[in-house]
Amino acid sequence: MYAQMVKSEATNEDPEKLAAFQARIDAGEKIEPKEWMPEGYRKTLIRQIGQHAHSEIVGQLPEGNWITRAPTLERMAILLAKVQDEAGHGLYLYCAAETLGVSRDELTEALLSGKMKYSSIFNYPTLNWADIGAVGWLVDGAAIMNQVPLQRTSFGPYSRAMIRICKEESFHQRQGYDIMMKMAQGTPEQKAMAQDALNRFWYPSLMMFGPSDKDSVHSAQSMAWKIKINTNDELRQKFVDQTVPQAEYLGLTIPDPELRWNEEKGGYDFSEPDWSEFFEVIKGNGPCNAERMEARQKAWDDGAWFREGLMAHARKRAAAKVAAE
């Protein structure tokens, strides 16, 4: 089913339907699941929502192994709540994708087979507690920058899911910044840990917005359909402009010797990430790609008995319904 859903867009769709659909998009209307939509629109949504859902689920892994090693009981409870939120976000998004005719199992199978991806940032390790702060501050900060505009995306279920997700992500970003603040104001060793975490997560966070607009394959059409509201480069610039003053307040240094305030453009000039690294991670060659996929495969295999039980129960109820009729 998934392969059928993401096949190449049809080339024989009714031009009048396409024009009417685009007119609705241009007028700011929401598209609902049972309404007509181009196959390319459906395909793009399945890819984007599926990747987003997978990212929320895989995103639990770098932080989950720090729950039992949090420095205080309060920090443990906060981190546990955050990881639970991420699971919920994945479920909201899988539900949104299901309205397009693809099942959650099919999306997971596509991930495990390599046909679908998740955000490259989650292929980097969390080596110490300061990394949990950096993930909250930088990674969730970049996620918010990406996701707030998606509350205005043209597909209704996706737009509505993003409203709650963004509210919870703002909590995640604040808890991460609070960890970094405590570390930066702590002992010299703690501040050094915070700086090291910033150094390692800065460029991977910039990569979260996707490749430069000139190299992005899908951005133009996604923008026309209002699946995306802003370009990759616009969001990356906004993230840098917002984050640099936060780092200065912490007394930490952005690891970019080319970082300069540009008065003319009203924003910072900064160095581009190493895009060759980005594409290598996407191909599966990042520090933790294999580990992340092994964890997802194990969870899928370990849950087989439960899925089978659900199906058996569903079949039993269906048979009972037919017998009663």
Side-chain angles (χ1 to χ4, degrees), residues 188-207:
E189 291 79 8
Q190 288 173 325
K191 185 173 183 179
M193 286 175 65
Q195 182 64 62
D196 176 62
L198 171 56
N199 292 348
R200 286 183 287 107
F201 276 93
W202 176 249
Y203 283 110
S205 296
L206 294 187
M207 295 176 193

Side-chain angles (χ1 to χ4, degrees), residues 32-188:
E32 298 300 336
K34 293 184 179 180
E35 297 174 334
W36 185 87
M37 62 186 71
E39 283 305 306
Y41 181 82
R42 188 186 304 273
K43 169 186 171 181
T44 300
L45 283 168
I46 290 173
R47 184 186 65 250
Q48 181 168 325
I49 299 173
Q51 178 175 310
H52 193 167
H54 295 326
S55 298
E56 296 285 355
I57 299 301
V58 176
Q60 298 174 95
L61 298 174
E63 295 175 304
N65 65 352
W66 279 95
I67 291 173
T68 57
R69 293 184 284 168
T72 68
L73 183 59
E74 179 184 21
R75 292 292 184 189
M76 180 187 294
I78 292 171
L79 184 58
L80 179 60
K82 180 187 177 184
V83 172
Q84 288 176 319
D85 283 349
E86 306 294 2
H89 297 174
L91 295 181
Y92 304 153
L93 292 163
Y94 284 134
C95 287
E98 284 176 325
T99 68
L100 293 161
V102 60
S103 74
R104 196 173 309 182
D105 285 359
E106 288 165 340
L107 290 171
T108 302
E109 289 168 350
L111 172 69
L112 296 176
S113 68
K115 294 176 182 177
M116 293 191 80
K117 304 293 184 180
Y118 55 88
S119 179
S120 61
I121 189 69
F122 299 120
N123 289 308
Y124 291 86
T126 45
L127 304 178
N128 55 51
W129 181 251
D131 286 11
I132 302 303
V135 167
W137 172 36
L138 299 175
V139 176
D140 290 311
I144 292 169
M145 201 66 67
N146 261 324
Q147 294 172 9
V148 166
L150 292 177
Q151 294 175 103
R152 307 193 306 277
T153 193
S154 60
F155 186 55
Y158 195 20
S159 171
R160 291 187 287 273
M162 293 313 305
I163 293 172
R164 178 167 181 175
I165 289 174
C166 286
K167 288 179 179 178
E168 293 177 348
E169 290 289 1
S170 66
F171 153 72
H172 301 167
Q173 198 268 348
R174 287 196 297 272
Q175 68 87 28
Y177 192 70
D178 184 63
I179 291 174
M180 295 297 278
M181 184 179 297
K182 294 296 191 295
M183 299 286 286
Q185 295 173 350
T187 65

Side-chain angles (χ1 to χ4, degrees), residues 4-14 18 21-22 25 31 35-49 100 154-155 217-228:
Q4 294 174 344
M5 294 300 297
V6 298
K7 65 184 178 181
S8 299
E9 295 106 83
T11 57
N12 59 347
E13 290 174 316
D14 186 339
L18 290 170
F21 179 83
Q22 189 62 53
I25 296 290
I31 307 300
E35 297 174 334
W36 185 87
M37 62 186 71
E39 283 305 306
Y41 181 82
R42 188 186 304 273
K43 169 186 171 181
T44 300
L45 283 168
I46 290 173
R47 184 186 65 250
Q48 181 168 325
I49 299 173
L100 293 161
S154 60
F155 186 55
V217 177
H218 305 290
S219 282
Q221 184 61 74
S222 293
M223 294 279 290
W225 279 329
K226 295 187 180 178
I227 294 174
K228 285 180 64 173

